[in-house]
């Protein structure tokens, strides 16, 4: 007989999934890992999202996306409570059968997989600029070759960290990533004050709203999605209860929102209409402070990569093996995932449109649609009663964002300014950290 479930907060509702060591992480470590999962490479695209939507409307949309993210993450765990399941995949399979399981598995694999590819590409773009600031390292040097940087970061950082079987071991790494992210934010604020005044605002820079706002929602969804990690992090809590999970979720999403909003506003107000999809493309190459920021960001996303690898490996193990992996299987599948990501990263150097599509096609259904659909399916109430009405509205909003976002991305694709020095760098006095004269 299935285990009896209860909705009372403070009681363990789902038998938490055990990892190889059976270890449990503290609430603090879980929060760091959750924040690290949210704040990945997507944060550098948030200033561009404000450029698409308009500053006031963009900020409003950012808050809404964060609220929906927080709400839908808790819906996932509630759905697990109702169905007696302990993973996103098993929840959807219990609710919508095998077809739903396959669709969810494809989306849950696609999002982190493309995210890992973007991490490799961003690492290469970022670290090559950092290395070129080293005396004697010019454009033709091996450290300035993006292919070498991808291979180096894969072998030295992302592969060893991804081979961990216990996600708890990444808690300290996630804390380091958060410190690096805060450092990047401080650098962006300093540069906004010292470099921003040299760049004249573009026309309509302070408009309330712009026509590409729906595309901006796709970018924000890509930046905020963390649902694919939710059950893993929930199961690693020392006391996995709904009350503890809600606190972790509110703290994590709230902290991520504050950091993301501050970075988005700072980046956009510095460059206004010139803001690129990768905000570090806006900073000049001889900007030493920005170079340090690039270095911090490169390390930060290398520490985020393993979290996404955990998810892709879990999806493959559930679909192909339907059981826990042996040590050999764990190593082989991890090496395969990381190697394929590195291979794609070596072949392509601009994923601006792909990331927008990933936000609309993968992130939006994982945030807006699927958690809400599971709750509606499992609930005994009608769709317009109580919490079900909110879930229904989220499904409608998600479908609108998906369809409209995909259409607008096709009609107005993001330009790729990969490696292009911005025009205002020619005469800018930004090599040091002092304010311009």
């Amino acid at each position: 007989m299935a285990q009896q479930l209860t909705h009372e907060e403070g009681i363990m509702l789902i038998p938490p999934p055990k990892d190889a060591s059976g270890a449990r992480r503290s609430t603090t470590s879980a929060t760091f890992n959750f924040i690290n999962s949210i704040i990945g490479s997507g944060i550098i695209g948030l200033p561009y999202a404000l450029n698409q939507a308009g500053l006031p409307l963009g900020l409003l949309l950012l808050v809404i996306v964060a609220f929906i993210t927080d709400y839908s993450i808790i819906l996932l765990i509630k759905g697990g409570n109702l169905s007696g399941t302990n993973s996103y995949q098993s929840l959807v399979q219990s609710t919508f059968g095998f077809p739903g399981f396959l669709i969810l598995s494809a989306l849950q694999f696609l999002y982190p997989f493309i995210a890992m590819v973007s991490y490799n590409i961003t690492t290469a773009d970022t670290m090559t600029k950092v290395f070129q600031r080293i005396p004697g390292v010019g454009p033709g040097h091996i450290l300035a070759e993006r292919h070498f940087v991808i291979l180096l970061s894969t072998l030295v950082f992302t592969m060893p960290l991804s081979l961990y079987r216990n996600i708890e071991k990444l808690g300290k790494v996630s804390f380091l990533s958060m410190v690096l992210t805060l450092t990047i934010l401080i650098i962006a604020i300093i540069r906004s004050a010292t470099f921003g005044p040299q760049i004249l605002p573009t026309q309509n820079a302070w408009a309330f709203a712009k026509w590409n706002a729906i595309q901006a929602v796709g970018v924000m969804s890509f930046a905020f999605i963390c649902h694919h990690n939710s059950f893993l992090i929930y199961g690693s809590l020392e006391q996995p209860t709904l009350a503890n999970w809600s606190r972790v979720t509110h703290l994590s999403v709230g902290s991520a929102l504050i950091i993301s909003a501050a970075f988005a506003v700072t980046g956009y107000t510095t460059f206004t209409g010139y803001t690129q999809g990768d905000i570090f493309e806006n900073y000049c190459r001889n900007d030493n402070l920005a170079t340090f920021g690039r270095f911090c960001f490169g390390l930060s996303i290398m520490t985020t990569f393993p979290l996404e690898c955990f998810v892709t490996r879990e999806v493959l193990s559930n679909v192909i093996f339907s059981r826990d992996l042996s040590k050999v299987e764990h190593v082989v599948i991890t090496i395969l995932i990381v190697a394929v990501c590195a291979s794609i990263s070596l072949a392509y150097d601009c994923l601006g449109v792909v990331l927008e599509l990933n936000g609309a096609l993968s992130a939006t259904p994982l945030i807006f649609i699927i958690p809400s659909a599971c709750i509606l399916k499992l609930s005994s109430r009608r769709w317009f009663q109580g919490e079900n009405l909110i879930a229904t509205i989220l499904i409608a909003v998600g479908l609108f964002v998906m369809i409209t976002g995909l259409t607008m991305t096709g009609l107005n694709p993001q330009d790729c300014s990969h490696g292009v020095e911005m025009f205002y760098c020619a005469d800018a006095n930004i090599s040091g950290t002092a304010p311009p004269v």
Side-chain angles (χ1 to χ4, degrees), residues 37-80:
S37 178
I38 298 172
I39 304 177
S41 66
I43 191 174
I44 63 173
L46 291 177
Y48 175 75
L50 297 189
N51 188 23
Q52 290 179 307
L55 179 60
L57 179 60
L59 275 177
L60 177 62
L61 291 175
L62 190 64
V63 173
I64 292 174
V65 169
F67 174 81
I68 293 174
T69 299
D70 182 282
Y71 183 80
S72 60
I73 289 170
I74 296 176
L75 278 187
L76 275 182
I77 301 304
K78 287 184 178 179

Side-chain angles (χ1 to χ4, degrees), residues 55 121 183 249-250 253 311 363 372 376 382 416:
L55 179 60
I121 293 176
T183 302
T249 301
H250 296 330
V253 176
V311 178
S372 301
L376 289 179
R382 296 184 178 182
C416 180

Side-chain angles (χ1 to χ4, degrees), residues 87-93 97-113 228 311-320 362 366 370:
S87 73
Y88 203 165
Q89 289 172 289
S90 58
L91 167 61
V92 175
Q93 183 172 19
F98 190 68
F101 170 78
L102 288 180
I103 293 173
L104 186 277
S105 297
L107 292 173
Q108 201 174 14
F109 176 86
L110 182 64
Y111 171 79
F113 183 82
H228 50 298
V311 178
T312 55
R313 186 173 57 226
E314 184 193 36
V315 171
L316 289 180
S317 65
N318 289 339
V319 173
I320 299 175
S362 301
L366 288 171
I370 296 178

Side-chain angles (χ1 to χ4, degrees), residues 17-25 165-169 324:
K18 294 183 180 294
D19 52 33
S21 65
R24 287 295 176 265
R25 182 173 46 236
R165 291 178 66 90
N166 179 9
I167 197 172
E168 184 270 341
K169 293 182 180 295
D324 292 336

Side-chain angles (χ1 to χ4, degrees), residues 239-319:
Q239 295 182 343
T241 65
L242 185 60
N244 287 340
W245 178 246
S246 296
R247 282 192 291 269
V248 169
T249 301
H250 296 330
L251 180 59
S252 301
V253 176
S255 300
L257 173 61
I258 293 172
I259 296 171
S260 298
F263 188 80
V265 172
T266 301
Y268 176 74
T269 54
T270 303
F271 304 106
T272 59
Y274 304 119
T275 305
Q276 301 295 309
D278 177 351
I279 190 63
F280 280 111
E281 291 291 312
N282 282 104
Y283 294 103
C284 305
R285 297 196 181 197
N286 64 339
D287 187 336
N288 292 332
L289 188 59
T291 297
F292 180 66
R294 291 186 179 103
F295 174 75
C296 292
F297 183 70
L299 289 181
S300 175
I301 60 176
M302 280 189 280
T303 60
T304 305
F305 185 104
L307 288 173
E308 306 300 346
C309 188
F310 265 79
V311 178
T312 55
R313 186 173 57 226
E314 184 193 36
V315 171
L316 289 180
S317 65
N318 289 339
V319 173

Side-chain angles (χ1 to χ4, degrees), residues 118-136:
S118 75
Y119 291 169
N120 280 340
I121 293 176
T122 307
T123 298
D125 293 345
T126 300
M127 298 308 288
T128 51
K129 293 183 177 67
V130 173
F131 291 145
Q132 288 184 60
R133 296 296 293 164
I134 300 175

Side-chain angles (χ1 to χ4, degrees), residues 140-419:
H141 197 278
I142 189 172
L143 291 177
E145 291 291 334
R146 61 180 304 274
H147 299 86
F148 175 78
V149 172
I150 290 174
L151 292 175
L152 180 65
S153 64
T154 297
L155 294 175
V156 176
F157 290 100
T158 57
M159 178 71 79
L161 290 174
S162 298
L163 284 171
Y164 281 125
R165 291 178 66 90
N166 179 9
I167 197 172
E168 184 270 341
K169 293 182 180 295
L170 296 177
K172 294 180 179 179
V173 175
S174 295
F175 174 74
L176 172 63
S177 179
M178 192 173 71
V179 172
L180 292 171
T181 300
L182 291 174
T183 302
I184 296 166
L185 174 59
I186 293 172
I187 290 173
I189 293 173
I190 293 173
R191 272 290 166 257
S192 178
T194 60
F195 184 35
Q198 298 185 54
I199 306 173
L200 294 177
T202 55
Q203 187 177 8
N204 298 324
W206 316 118
F208 178 83
K210 298 180 182 178
W211 289 105
N212 291 336
I214 299 300
Q215 281 178 273
V217 174
V219 175
M220 294 171 186
S221 298
F222 175 82
F224 266 87
I225 185 173
C226 51
H227 299 60
H228 50 298
N229 286 327
S230 296
F231 279 98
L232 281 173
I233 297 175
Y234 170 80
S236 63
L237 287 171
E238 185 175 354
Q239 295 182 343
T241 65
L242 185 60
N244 287 340
W245 178 246
S246 296
R247 282 192 291 269
V248 169
T249 301
H250 296 330
L251 180 59
S252 301
V253 176
S255 300
L257 173 61
I258 293 172
I259 296 171
S260 298
F263 188 80
V265 172
T266 301
Y268 176 74
T269 54
T270 303
F271 304 106
T272 59
Y274 304 119
T275 305
Q276 301 295 309
D278 177 351
I279 190 63
F280 280 111
E281 291 291 312
N282 282 104
Y283 294 103
C284 305
R285 297 196 181 197
N286 64 339
D287 187 336
N288 292 332
L289 188 59
T291 297
F292 180 66
R294 291 186 179 103
F295 174 75
C296 292
F297 183 70
L299 289 181
S300 175
I301 60 176
M302 280 189 280
T303 60
T304 305
F305 185 104
L307 288 173
E308 306 300 346
C309 188
F310 265 79
V311 178
T312 55
R313 186 173 57 226
E314 184 193 36
V315 171
L316 289 180
S317 65
N318 289 339
V319 173
I320 299 175
F321 298 95
S322 299
R323 57 175 172 80
D324 292 336
L325 299 175
S326 67
K327 290 184 178 180
V328 174
E329 291 168 343
H330 173 88
V331 172
V332 171
I333 289 181
T334 300
I335 292 176
L336 181 62
I337 292 171
V338 176
V340 172
C341 287
S343 300
I344 296 175
S345 306
L346 292 171
Y348 299 96
D349 64 358
C350 183
L351 287 180
V353 174
V354 176
L355 294 181
E356 283 190 355
L357 291 175
N358 196 23
L361 192 60
S362 301
T364 300
L366 288 171
I367 293 177
F368 291 76
I369 299 174
I370 296 178
S372 301
C374 289
I375 287 295
L376 289 179
K377 182 74 172 179
L378 293 169
S379 177
S380 59
R381 296 181 178 180
R382 296 184 178 182
W383 63 268
F384 55 84
Q385 291 182 327
E387 193 175 62
N388 287 358
L389 178 59
I390 300 177
T392 303
I393 294 173
L394 290 182
I395 292 175
V397 172
L399 289 172
F400 174 76
V401 170
M402 277 188 65
I403 296 172
T404 308
L406 290 172
T407 301
M408 295 189 69
T409 298
L411 296 176
N412 303 292
Q414 173 189 337
D415 293 330
C416 180
S417 61
H418 176 74

